[in-house]
Amino acid sequence: MPEGHTIHRLARDHRGWFVGETVAASSPQGRFADGAARLDGQRLLAVQALGKHLLYRFADTWLHVHLGLFGRSRSWKRPPEPRPSVRLRLASSKRTADLIGPTSCALWDAAEVATLTDRLGPDPLDEEDHVDDFVAALTRRRRAIGAVLLDQEAVAGLGNVYRAELLFRARLSPHRPARSVDDVTARALWADARELMRVGVRFNRIYGRTPDEVGRPWSRMRKADRYNVYKRRVCWRCDAAIRVEDLANRTVYWCPVCQA
DNA sequence: CCATCATGGATAT
DNA sequence: TATCCCTGATGGC
């Protein structure tokens, strides 16, 4: 679930349900008991997504959340009893949301937030278009582009699925050195990431192919049609066997013919 | 019941 | 590059 689109969607939803509200906070699991106690009864001022990071701003502190690989958030109008694994339950008069299995759930001060902001690369889901920063980040790195796209200091918010799908769509081998990608291709890759990830936010789900390409509207696309290469065995375009390899500690999928 | 795996990332070596 | 952490779903006994 959690690539950047998930986090931005979560930010949007939680903004609507919790910002401006006095929230009840608790930690059924107990591991965030002190933090929850400090947030309990405070008014939430803002929610912001930065790449895969989520920041909740309160009057005198920030709540930082990172879902990592396993983390999830669920919410209800009328919540059930929390499961024992719930790290943090936030509730307003409108909604209750549970946070489960996050890599990070911590109270941060402004300096820690600034450190994060400085470290992260441009986020395709940022409303402002930072295409030049993206191109500069690629130009600066000699590592494989498949590794660079997962480096949050180069681009913030892409994960393993978007890496595979975007590279296929750009017809780039994941092994191409990042700085060998020409300017036109790099800009197109960035624009594609922005468009595709916005769709991801809209449907809360990753689409690697568009209605144009599949011949069905977004919501009626079959599961098997949603990806080009991620976890696929054969390339739909050329019938070649999809390569499955390790790159930057994650499994990358790519078509050796289409992405020569 | 247990092993394995997953859309992530920090840290050690 | 390897190891560890966090949780839940799945599939093989």
Side-chain angles (χ1 to χ4, degrees):
Chain A
M1 321 298 207
E3 296 194 23
H5 69 295
T6 303
I7 309 309
H8 281 257
R9 173 56 180 263
L10 217 42
R12 192 176 93 185
D13 290 345
H14 284 199
R15 217 170 273 138
W17 296 328
F18 300 121
V19 166
E21 304 273 324
T22 297
V23 298
S26 59
S27 179
Q29 179 194 51
R31 281 187 54 179
F32 190 58
D34 292 351
R38 194 164 150 206
L39 297 180
D40 191 41
Q42 283 206 51
R43 198 162 69 90
L44 179 61
L45 304 180
V47 182
Q48 190 184 359
L50 293 171
K52 297 171 189 163
H53 299 258
L54 201 48
L55 291 164
Y56 298 78
R57 194 174 138 220
F58 293 87
D60 63 353
T61 189
W62 297 79
L63 170 64
H64 172 257
V65 170
H66 194 296
L67 294 181
L69 189 51
F70 317 121
R72 294 179 298 122
S73 174
R74 299 191 57 192
S75 74
W76 310 262
K77 215 162 186 169
R78 279 203 59 242
E81 280 302 300
R83 308 170 69 143
S85 57
V86 174
R87 182 81 55 88
L88 171 66
R89 170 167 278 197
L90 278 183
S92 72
S93 57
K94 298 177 180 166
R95 196 88 176 174
T96 296
D98 284 355
L99 176 64
I100 296 160
T103 284
S104 168
C105 171
L107 297 184
W108 278 14
D109 60 28
E112 290 171 297
V113 172
T115 301
L116 174 68
T117 310
D118 292 347
R119 198 185 80 219
L120 293 179
D123 181 345
L125 284 171
D126 196 332
E127 209 167 313
E128 211 176 311
D129 189 341
H130 298 286
V131 60
D132 292 333
D133 293 342
F134 174 71
V135 173
L138 289 194
T139 312
R140 223 180 295 127
R141 284 165 231 252
R142 57 182 73 200
R143 278 190 307 153
I145 187 163
V148 171
L149 291 188
L150 289 187
D151 178 353
Q152 303 297 298
E153 299 185 20
V155 207
L158 295 185
N160 202 29
V161 180
Y162 278 120
R163 162 174 78 167
E165 294 299 313
L166 290 169
L167 286 174
F168 176 88
R169 295 168 64 82
R171 293 190 169 244
L172 285 171
S173 160
H175 298 293
R176 272 277 291 279
R179 64 177 190 181
S180 78
V181 176
D182 67 83
D183 195 73
V184 172
T185 307
R187 287 172 181 276
L189 172 58
W190 176 257
D192 197 38
R194 280 174 62 83
E195 280 177 30
L196 220 49
M197 291 184 80
R198 280 186 206 233
V199 172
V201 173
R202 179 170 157 208
F203 294 102
N204 208 6
R205 159 189 289 176
I206 297 175
Y207 286 90
R209 302 177 69 196
T210 66
D212 251 18
E213 295 157 359
V214 178
R216 285 165 179 274
W218 294 112
S219 47
R220 269 191 296 156
M221 224 182 271
R222 286 169 303 204
K223 194 173 179 184
D225 289 333
R226 291 210 295 263
Y227 298 148
N228 291 290
V229 287
Y230 180 74
K231 282 196 173 165
R232 304 208 54 97
R233 302 194 51 106
V234 175
C235 178
W236 64 264
R237 190 186 275 157
C238 75
D239 265 1
I242 297 300
R243 289 260 170 93
V244 183
E245 311 169 344
D246 232 57
L247 180 56
N249 246 335
R250 314 297 306 282
T251 308
V252 69
Y253 302 80
W254 61 291
C255 173
V257 176
C258 297
Q259 301 167 257

